[in-house]
Amino acid sequence: MNVLIIYSHPNETSYNASILQTVQKHLAPEHRVKIVDLYKENFDPVLRFDETHKRRDLQHNEDMKPYRDLLSWADQLIFIFPTWWSGMPAILKGFIDRVFVTGFAYQNGPRGPVGKLDGKAWIITTHNTPKIFLPFSQDYAKVLKSQILKPCGIKPVKMTQVTRVEYMSDRQRKEELEKIAQIAKRI
């Protein structure tokens, strides 16, 4: 299976980095794994429209072709990112804006988007939101699942949320990593 990990965290020693390492370590060795580390790649998240950059032409943007090729190659997407201020990192949102574009990821149909991508996804997010507030907060893992990936044809989408990361003990952090390892082994 072709597995593409899309990773978004600026700190190489973060808990998200530990999650990335855990996922990599526990994926079956026969999988072909590629990683897009948006911060390491210094991905430019800014979407530009002007006389030479038209929205209708985004699917042909040569700068984004390597990312489109990776998405087309992948059978399994894995997103790893923190949730900040109820949203994904801006660099990841910019990646989605610039790569998951009409004509490539979906086509507009009479009843809404018609997905053009295949495969499944696993979204792993971390945040500090107390569980009591989760039902009332805008969670971009859910937005990514329901309003981006599914309309683009990617399903099923599994979600793993690690909450209250800042307040977890080392034991709790290890327990969460073990849960993630078990899921990675089943991919």
Side-chain angles (χ1 to χ4, degrees), residues 59-106:
Q59 68 181 337
H60 304 297
N61 182 316
E62 285 301 311
D63 292 342
M64 297 300 107
K65 185 179 183 325
Y67 300 109
R68 292 192 306 268
D69 290 347
L70 284 171
L71 287 174
S72 296
W73 167 84
D75 303 304
Q76 169 79 54
L77 300 176
I78 301 174
F79 291 85
I80 303 171
F81 62 92
T83 300
W84 293 326
W85 292 104
S86 297
M88 63 181 69
I91 199 167
L92 177 56
K93 178 63 168 74
F95 176 84
I96 291 165
D97 287 347
R98 296 190 70 200
V99 179
F100 285 76
V101 297
T102 188
F104 168 69
Y106 68 95

Side-chain angles (χ1 to χ4, degrees), residues 10-75:
N11 183 344
E12 294 179 8
T13 62
S14 69
Y15 189 61
N16 277 257
S18 297
I19 292 171
L20 173 62
Q21 292 166 2
T22 299
V23 169
Q24 286 179 276
K25 180 179 176 183
H26 291 92
L27 287 171
E30 64 268 14
H31 294 327
R32 290 159 304 285
V33 179
K34 295 183 181 181
I35 299 171
V36 173
D37 184 331
L38 295 173
Y39 283 96
K40 273 190 182 171
E41 292 186 19
N42 200 25
F43 182 83
D44 179 5
V46 179
L47 181 60
R48 294 172 178 84
F49 296 132
D50 57 29
E51 290 303 313
T52 57
H53 300 93
K54 302 203 183 307
R55 182 175 171 97
R56 67 179 173 265
D57 296 330
L58 290 176
Q59 68 181 337
H60 304 297
N61 182 316
E62 285 301 311
D63 292 342
M64 297 300 107
K65 185 179 183 325
Y67 300 109
R68 292 192 306 268
D69 290 347
L70 284 171
L71 287 174
S72 296
W73 167 84
D75 303 304

